[in-house]
Structures are given as C-alpha cells and as structure tokens.
C-alpha cells in the first residue's frame, strides 16, 4: 500500500533520506566479478567477449559485428506504423538537440592578441543498448541523435545477441533511423570493457553512454578514466506537484508510468489538497488492476511511493528542490508560475497534458536524466556530452613583453622558476 503522509518539514526530510538509501550502494562481490571480466576482456579480446556471451546470453555469433544487410533485414520485421512513429520521434529529438550545438569562436583584439575556442565532436562514441525485456528503442534515439548532432565521427552500438541468435528488431530499426555506424552483438560488462579497450574487431571508443543492469553500470564506473561515461544511473523516479485543479486519474496514471520500471523506482505525489490526495490513491488501485506489470508497480509503490499532503505550494516547491527528482510534473492551475522556482530536476513537465511518457518517447528533450538527487549538479544527456573543446592563444612579441613582469611574479610566487624562465629567455631577444 502506498504511504500517505501529512508531512511537515521534519517528516519530508526523513522521507528524502530514506529514499537516498536505495542508491549509491556497492556490492563488493559484483565489483570483483566485473573487475575480473574487464581485465579478461582487456587481455583476451574477441574470444573472451564471445565466451562471456555464450555464458551469460546463451549464444554468441561467429562474427561479433552485424552487417548492414543483416540490420536492414532484421528491421524489416518491424511494422510500418512503428517505423513511422520512430521517425517522427527522431525528427523531434534531432530538432531539440540541434539547438544545443555550440560553435567554435575566434576573438581577435586590436593589439594583435588572438584568443579562441575550437569545438568539435568526439572521434568515436559507444552506445550500450540492453536486450531482452529491457530493450528500449527509444533509448537508442536518445543516446545516438545528440552524438550525431555533435559531429561524432563514428557511433558504435553494442547490444546482446539474445538466445535466438539475433537482437531485438526494434532496437536495430532504431539504430538505422538514428544513424548508428556499426553494431556489435555483445552485452554486459564484457561489452563495456570491449568498447573501452578495443579488441581485434571492436574499435576503442572515447565515451560510453546508455543504460544497463548493475553489471553494466559497475563496468562503466570502473572504466571511467579509461573512457568517459554519461552517468551512473539509478532507479527511475517521478515527483508530481499538484493543486486542486489536477485530475486524480491523470496523477495516478503518471505515478505508475514510472513505478512499472523497477521495484526500486520512486513515485511521489505532493499536494496541498487532502481530497485530491485521497482520490489519487483510490485511482491508483483502480487502474492498477488493468496493468500488465502490476507486481512491479505494487512493489515500487509499497517500498518507495508516497502521497504527501503539505501545508501550501511553497512547501511543495521546497520539497521538490531538496529531492531533485529525475522527472518532475507540475500539475497546477498555472504551472509556469512555478518553473522559475524549481531549480533541481532532470526534466520538468508543465500542465495536465504534458505527462512524463511524452518526454520518454516523443517531445524531443532527452530522457537520459540524472537520478538519485544528482539533478542538483548533473544535467540531462545532451550534445555537450559528445563534444570536446580546446582553447587557443596567440600573443605578438610586444604583448608578451608587456605581460612578462606579471607572469614572472606569479610563477616565482609559486616557486615555479622554470615557468618564469620560459618568459625571461624571451626578454633577451
């Protein structure tokens, strides 16, 4: 049964601390197993990846890389309606992320000094895509399209082969729509290690993005520094702020849209209207009867769900900023009134007709979002995650001479005499 709380500040803080306990834990046994897999792949290459695929996925291909012909044949199994929807979603995602693109710049000054910044895409990015029951073609679009917009030269996707000997056709169709360059049939920690180090047939990438199970997440964490990663994702979460104008049927449906992801997912409603809270709880249990993932939803709501009645909407905003949720819905009479006050959230959904699944699939904003309160300092996946920047500096001799005394003083204050000498030798010219 979902908890209903008449919460003051102390109770709200206690609930937030309780939620935090479900993330950030490490399992020493999993850490050790992943470390062994990573090291074995680093030294063993393709054959080690294949042996782990056989062990964990039940099947491994003779050749790890799919051909373009195989991809097109597999995606041909998808319905025209699905492909059309996929393309429309991809267009929206591309349009949104195109507005994030940064430009290189050059800043010449009248005295001859030239400063600037060069922006370019990474050389190669790796995208991990789970298979089986966790196969989400929408995540392919969300991870690949920002990389394409950023100008990444090559995008390599890894996805498990599956026991039937081929990956999910929907995932392969999404890869073709999004513009993936190469696809390798491999999953788990072994796939992350292969992308990070490279093997005989698998190219080494500069960054690895994409969701996965605890083994995938642990491998990404261990390999951070060998490659860049997107983030360490935790269980999904939604917080809804609602006033008396909200529809309890909508609220219940939206809470369960996240609860169905995982028994550890968090779904919370906070409102200043006690009647709305009671009606939402009733709607939850009516709708739950019709849903296919009922068992998962019940466990999620029982463990990490709550309906909180607060004193006023200012308290609701304060709670949202402290929780820093992945998804934040504002189901209020004037949702834009609150937008400027909500500082900590992965993505904000405004009004009664902007439910969270709109962002998951179609609107265009990225659905790869910070979880576990990390929205206090992390941002959604974006074009910025796939670029690198270099600054450049040009000084004519006369301008360096003007700055020489300052540079020498600063360097010698830090007892870095070789730095100072680099300037002094040029004063002799």
């Amino acid at each position: 049964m979902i908890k209903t709380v008449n919460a003051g500040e102390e109770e709200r803080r206690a609930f937030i601390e309780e939620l935090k306990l479900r993330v950030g834990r490490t399992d020493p046994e999993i850490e050790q197993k992943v470390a062994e897999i990573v090291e074995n792949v680093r030294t063993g290459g393709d054959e080690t990846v294949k042996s782990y695929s056989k062990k964990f996925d039940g099947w491994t291909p003779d050749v790890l890389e799919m051909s373009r012909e195989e991809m097109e044949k597999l995606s041909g199994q998808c319905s025209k309606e699905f492909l059309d929807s996929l393309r429309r979603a991809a267009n929206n995602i591309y349009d949104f992320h195109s507005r994030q693109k940064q430009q290189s710049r050059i800043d010449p000054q009248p005295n001859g000094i030239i400063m600037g910044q060069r922006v370019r895409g990474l050389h190669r990015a790796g995208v991990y895509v789970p298979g089986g029951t966790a196969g989400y073609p929408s995540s392919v679009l969300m991870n690949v399209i920002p990389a394409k917009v950023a100008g990444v030269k090559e995008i390599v996707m890894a996805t498990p082969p599956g026991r039937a000997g081929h990956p999910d056709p929907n995932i392969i169709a999404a890869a073709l729509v999004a513009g993936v360059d190469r696809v390798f049939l491999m999953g788990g920690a072994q796939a992350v290690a292969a992308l990070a180090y490279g093997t005989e047939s698998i190219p080494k990438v500069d960054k690895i993005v994409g969701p996965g199970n605890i083994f995938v997440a642990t491998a990404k964490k261990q390999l951070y520094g060998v490659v860049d990663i997107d983030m360490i994702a935790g269980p999904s979460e939604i917080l809804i702020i609602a006033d008396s104008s909200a529809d309890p049927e909508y609220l219940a449906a939206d809470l369960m849209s996240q609860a169905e992801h995982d028994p550890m997912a968090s779904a919370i409603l906070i409102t200043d209207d006690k009647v709305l809270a009671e009606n939402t709880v009733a709607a939850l249990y009516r709708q739950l009867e019709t849903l296919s993932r009922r068992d998962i939803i019940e466990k999620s709501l029982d463990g990490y769900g709550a309906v909180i009645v607060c004193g006023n909407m200012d308290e609701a905003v304060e709670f949202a900023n402290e929780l820093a949720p992945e998804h934040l819905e504002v189901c209020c009479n004037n949702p834009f009134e609150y937008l400027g006050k909500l500082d900590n959230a992965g993505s904000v959904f405004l009004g009664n007709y902007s439910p969270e699944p709109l962002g998951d699939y179609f609107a265009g904003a990225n659905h790869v979002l910070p979880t576990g309160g990390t929205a206090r300092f992390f941002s959604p996946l974006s074009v910025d995650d796939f670029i690198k920047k270099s600054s450049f500096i040009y000084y004519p001799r006369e301008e360096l001479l003007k700055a020489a005394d300052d540079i020498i003083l600063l360097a010698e204050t830090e007892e870095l005499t070789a730095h100072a000498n680099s300037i002094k030798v040029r004063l002799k010219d």
Side-chain angles (χ1 to χ4, degrees):
M1 178 69 69
I2 192 169
K3 295 180 283 291
T4 303
V5 182
N6 291 305
E9 182 179 355
E10 186 175 335
E11 291 84 357
R12 293 197 303 272
R13 289 184 181 277
F15 183 64
I16 290 171
E17 292 305 314
E18 183 182 338
L19 284 177
K20 289 178 180 177
L21 293 176
R22 71 196 175 108
V23 299
R25 297 175 179 174
T26 58
D27 184 325
E29 186 175 343
I30 291 177
E31 293 275 358
Q32 180 59 35
K33 287 180 179 177
V34 169
E36 291 175 1
I37 292 170
V38 167
E39 179 59 19
N40 289 339
V41 170
R42 186 184 72 82
T43 57
D46 283 355
E47 290 308 311
T48 301
V49 174
K50 290 179 181 180
S51 67
Y52 279 128
S53 290
K54 180 69 174 177
K55 179 179 180 180
F56 297 130
D57 298 320
W59 189 85
T60 187
D62 294 329
V63 178
L64 290 169
E65 184 171 5
M66 288 189 78
S67 68
R68 184 63 45 160
E69 182 181 0
E70 290 172 318
M71 292 172 62
E72 291 173 352
K73 181 178 180 181
L74 198 58
S75 68
Q77 298 178 17
C78 301
S79 70
K80 179 182 181 301
E81 292 77 13
F82 169 76
L83 293 173
D84 288 343
S85 294
L86 204 62
R87 292 187 186 103
R88 285 191 287 269
N91 288 338
N92 291 341
I93 296 165
Y94 187 89
D95 180 67
F96 181 88
H97 289 83
S98 293
R99 302 170 197 275
Q100 297 175 340
K101 192 169 183 180
Q102 299 185 44
Q103 301 296 325
S104 297
R105 71 173 197 272
I106 184 167
D107 304 318
Q109 299 176 24
N111 57 10
I113 293 173
I114 299 174
M115 304 285 288
Q117 180 174 262
R118 185 181 173 206
V119 179
R120 57 210 184 277
L122 300 178
H123 178 70
R124 185 181 290 122
V127 178
Y128 184 86
V129 182
T133 57
Y136 300 125
S138 60
S139 287
V140 178
L141 303 184
M142 294 291 183
N143 281 278
V144 174
I145 292 174
K148 296 293 288 187
V149 172
V152 174
K153 293 181 175 61
E154 185 175 51
I155 300 174
V156 179
M157 190 176 92
T159 192
R163 294 186 180 277
H166 58 74
D168 184 336
N170 295 332
I171 287 174
I172 299 304
L176 289 171
V177 168
V180 170
D181 296 296
R182 301 175 71 180
V183 174
F184 289 86
L185 299 182
M186 56 183 182
Q190 64 272 20
V192 177
L195 290 172
Y197 288 117
T199 68
E200 300 92 327
S201 66
I202 303 159
K204 173 181 170 62
V205 303
D206 302 310
K207 182 162 189 162
I208 300 174
V209 301
N213 62 19
I214 186 62
F215 290 92
V216 170
T218 302
K220 286 168 69 177
K221 183 178 179 181
Q222 290 184 4
L223 287 162
Y224 176 61
V226 177
V227 291
D228 192 16
I229 61 171
D230 47 359
M231 62 186 77
I232 304 297
S236 188
E237 54 203 30
I238 185 171
L239 171 66
I240 303 176
I241 294 175
D243 63 16
S244 60
S245 68
D247 187 323
E249 296 292 334
Y250 295 176
L251 302 179
D254 294 357
L255 289 168
M256 291 189 291
S257 74
Q258 291 309 291
E260 75 171 341
H261 274 297
D262 185 333
M264 292 185 70
S266 169
I268 303 167
L269 167 68
I270 184 165
T271 179
D272 61 351
D273 189 316
K274 186 176 181 180
V275 174
L276 179 71
E278 293 171 349
N279 290 340
T280 300
V281 172
L284 275 171
Y285 291 102
R286 280 197 304 273
Q287 293 182 29
L288 184 59
E289 298 294 325
T290 67
L291 301 175
S292 62
R293 297 170 72 91
R294 174 178 173 175
D295 289 347
I296 293 174
I297 294 171
E298 285 181 329
K299 289 176 182 175
S300 168
L301 295 179
D302 182 59
Y304 304 104
V307 174
I308 300 173
V309 180
C310 60
N312 54 59
M313 296 306 290
D314 287 338
E315 290 182 14
V317 169
E318 182 183 347
F319 179 82
N321 282 329
E322 188 167 355
L323 186 63
E326 178 187 18
H327 307 97
L328 174 58
E329 288 190 10
V330 184
C331 296
C332 299
N333 188 43
N334 182 9
F336 286 94
E337 175 187 342
Y338 300 94
L339 183 59
K341 304 174 185 177
L342 295 166
D343 296 327
N344 300 331
S347 191
V348 182
F349 301 80
L350 299 166
N352 293 315
Y353 298 97
S354 305
E356 187 279 333
L358 176 67
D360 264 358
Y361 293 106
F362 196 75
N366 210 286
H367 77 198
V368 181
L369 304 169
T371 60
T374 61
R376 291 178 294 113
F377 47 84
F378 277 141
S379 303
L381 190 73
S382 72
V383 171
D384 290 345
D385 289 289
F386 296 97
I387 63 173
K388 55 186 176 181
K389 305 170 188 176
S390 300
S391 56
F392 55 87
I393 303 166
Y394 169 79
Y395 263 55
R397 181 177 183 274
E398 57 273 19
E399 293 303 321
L400 177 63
L401 296 182
K402 290 178 185 177
D405 289 344
D406 290 330
I407 300 169
I408 291 168
L409 177 59
L410 292 169
E412 289 181 342
T413 299
E414 294 182 352
E415 299 183 357
L416 296 175
T417 55
H419 279 65
N421 186 59
S422 175
I423 304 298
K424 288 178 180 179
V425 297
R426 287 168 168 80
L427 299 181
K428 299 173 184 178
D429 292 348

